Amino acid sequence: MTFSLRSSLLAGVTAGLLVLASCSKAPAPAGGSGASTESIKVGEFASLTGKEAAFGQSSHKGVVLAIEEINTAGGVLGRKLELVSEDNQSRPGESATIVKKLISRDKVVAILGEVASSRSLEAAPICQAARIPQISPSSTNPAVTETGDYIFRVCFIDPFQGVVMAKFAKDTLKIRRVAVLTSVSSAYSVGLAKYFTERFTGDGGIIPLEQKYSEGDKDFKAQLTAIKAAGVEGIFVPGYYTEAALICKQARDLGLTIPLFGGDGWEAPQLIEIGGKAVEGCYYSTHYSPENQSPAVSTFIQKFKQRWNGEVPDAMAALSYDSAQVLADAIKRAQSTDGPKVRDALAATKDFAGVTGNTTLDAKRNATKSAVVVTIKDGVFKFVETVAP
Ligand code: PHE
């Protein structure tokens, strides 16, 4: 049986309900195609449940906050935005089905999502063929936006993130021999492993071995035993928090005390919940830190905490908030909700000030932003450094 967010909305377990409920009455139209008072439907697909539920829950909260704010300020083109959310349960194959539904049944004007590159890649050809713009908040694999000219993202891409962590290993950790442990069933992991390796070895580093696993694996002892035998000074794990936390635990169980480090996929409170002491002194790169003192970030944190029960927003929440704001801005500039017109306006996005910095969408529909490196100390995430593009 397919579990969609609709059923959970009925059960009242997500706050998406509030967004839908706030869309009944809209003020007079302010132009645009088919000048209408109806709400403008925006689709969102996310891993609200399942393996990477932390990603979907967090990005959903960022999107909901943005849409509520936009509506409180009068909406877009004099119309309210109506968010239609669907859950892919973190399962391969599900994103294609729900994105088709959002487009053909719900007639959404654009799609927000996904966090994970493999799931964004499933939706992208569908959005491209339907000429419905898709904005991924945080999928960093280059192939996502290469799918076509309707596919955008508001974050940096992995060729940059790979360089950030290769330089971090060499210059900050000062290590030369590193093992890589890659998830072969994740486009994100395979890409980030490659970009890291290219730069690290290009700079004179040595990668004596790359070990592999698949999404959902729970036992990494064989790979870690091989890594231990290779006598490396660090392990690069370009995967998601679900496996990364277990990998750190099992590495410590095997007596490996060397640093493990990864990319943005590590970001979730569950990394520490599952990893406990084993993730202490590990590092990862990501898009944003709540320790950033800028007014934009502190205002966002304040609003997010107020809306979501004191929760501190992470990178997925911040980028997703920005993705919804970038879309609303494009619809305003397009003065239309037509796919091709919104696409053109999105492509022209320049210096849009958001929580994760300024978004300028380049000719390849990617953003260029700084990365931050984070560590885990005394059971909490700690900002280490910002790396400019
Ligand atoms: N960049 C990851 C991917 O492309 C997703 C991710 C982004 C995860 C930000 C956590 C934080 O799959």
Side-chain angles (χ1 to χ4, degrees):
M1 188 197 102
T2 311
F3 175 89
S4 78
L5 180 66
R6 283 165 183 258
S7 27
S8 59
L9 275 176
L10 290 174
V13 295
T14 89
L17 185 61
L18 291 171
V19 178
L20 289 169
S22 67
C23 301
S24 45
K25 279 243 156 51
S33 64
S36 136
T37 53
E38 268 172 42
S39 55
I40 297 170
K41 285 188 179 173
V42 173
E44 178 202 32
F45 71 114
S47 55
L48 294 166
T49 59
K51 191 170 160 289
E52 277 96 35
F55 290 168
Q57 287 295 334
S58 194
S59 60
H60 179 63
K61 286 173 185 162
V63 167
V64 168
L65 179 64
I67 289 189
E68 286 178 353
E69 269 175 28
I70 292 161
N71 285 343
T72 304
V76 177
L77 310 181
R79 298 159 64 183
K80 297 276 175 179
L81 296 183
E82 177 181 338
L83 183 66
V84 189
S85 297
E86 288 284 346
D87 176 19
N88 57 32
Q89 309 157 68
S90 310
R91 282 184 16 203
E94 209 57 42
S95 295
T97 311
I98 60 181
V99 165
K100 275 183 204 149
K101 252 199 286 181
L102 286 169
I103 294 173
S104 56
R105 178 198 62 193
D106 299 306
K107 310 266 183 283
V108 300
V109 305
I111 297 273
L112 300 175
E114 227 254 19
V115 170
S117 291
S118 294
R119 294 191 282 268
S120 287
L121 280 165
E122 272 186 41
I126 296 159
C127 295
Q128 180 66 31
R131 303 211 287 176
I132 294 293
Q134 176 188 352
I135 312 176
S136 164
S138 59
S139 289
T140 45
N141 186 277
V144 172
T145 48
E146 284 165 5
T147 305
D149 61 351
Y150 277 76
I151 319 300
F152 298 85
R153 80 181 104 218
V154 295
C155 59
F156 57 64
I157 55 175
D158 286 332
F160 170 63
Q161 184 165 217
V163 167
V164 166
M165 288 320 275
K167 286 172 82 175
F168 180 79
K170 177 174 167 271
D171 299 335
T172 306
L173 296 178
K174 303 204 186 309
I175 54 180
R176 272 179 55 82
R177 276 176 73 85
V178 170
V180 177
L181 184 45
T182 309
S183 167
V184 288
S185 56
S186 154
Y188 159 74
S189 189
V190 172
L192 187 53
K194 171 172 161 258
Y195 300 118
F196 171 85
T197 301
E198 280 170 6
R199 182 54 180 249
F200 191 70
T201 55
D203 281 348
I206 295 158
I207 299 189
L209 82 169
E210 180 184 8
Q211 289 285 302
K212 299 182 171 161
Y213 67 92
S214 291
E215 293 301 289
D217 283 359
K218 302 235 169 335
D219 186 347
F220 307 92
K221 297 241 166 58
Q223 295 93 322
L224 290 166
T225 302
I227 288 172
K228 192 176 179 190
V232 291
E233 299 162 285
I235 310 174
F236 184 57
V237 185
Y240 295 138
Y241 65 94
T242 27
E243 286 85 17
L246 291 176
I247 289 168
C248 290
K249 274 188 102 151
Q250 292 172 23
R252 301 302 178 228
D253 288 348
L254 284 171
L256 278 159
T257 54
I258 52 178
L260 289 93
F261 55 106
D264 53 354
W266 280 38
E267 175 139 343
Q270 284 80 354
L271 182 84
I272 298 177
E273 279 164 32
I274 302 167
K277 282 208 160 50
V279 297
E280 287 283 314
C282 291
Y283 300 89
Y284 67 89
S285 50
T286 185
H287 307 260
Y288 139 106
S289 163
E291 290 177 64
N292 184 321
Q293 299 293 320
S294 82
V297 171
S298 26
T299 310
F300 172 64
I301 293 176
Q302 209 184 326
K303 290 188 293 193
F304 193 92
K305 281 170 108 175
Q306 200 166 8
R307 177 63 181 87
W308 300 110
N309 212 6
E311 197 178 311
V312 177
D314 57 18
M316 291 80 82
L319 284 167
S320 297
Y321 176 89
D322 281 353
S323 72
Q325 297 282 5
V326 163
L327 174 63
D329 173 68
I331 297 174
K332 275 181 207 160
R333 282 185 288 107
Q335 283 292 303
S336 167
T337 57
D338 287 349
K341 290 189 180 135
V342 175
R343 190 225 80 88
D344 289 349
L346 275 171
T349 300
K350 202 171 175 296
D351 285 332
F352 183 85
V355 178
T356 57
N358 284 1
T359 302
T360 295
L361 295 170
D362 64 21
K364 292 178 164 175
R365 299 165 300 283
N366 301 321
T368 301
K369 290 179 179 172
S370 296
V372 299
V373 179
V374 172
T375 189
I376 299 96
K377 195 168 185 299
D378 301 326
V380 291
F381 294 115
K382 271 265 156 246
F383 169 85
V384 176
E385 64 181 30
T386 299
V387 185

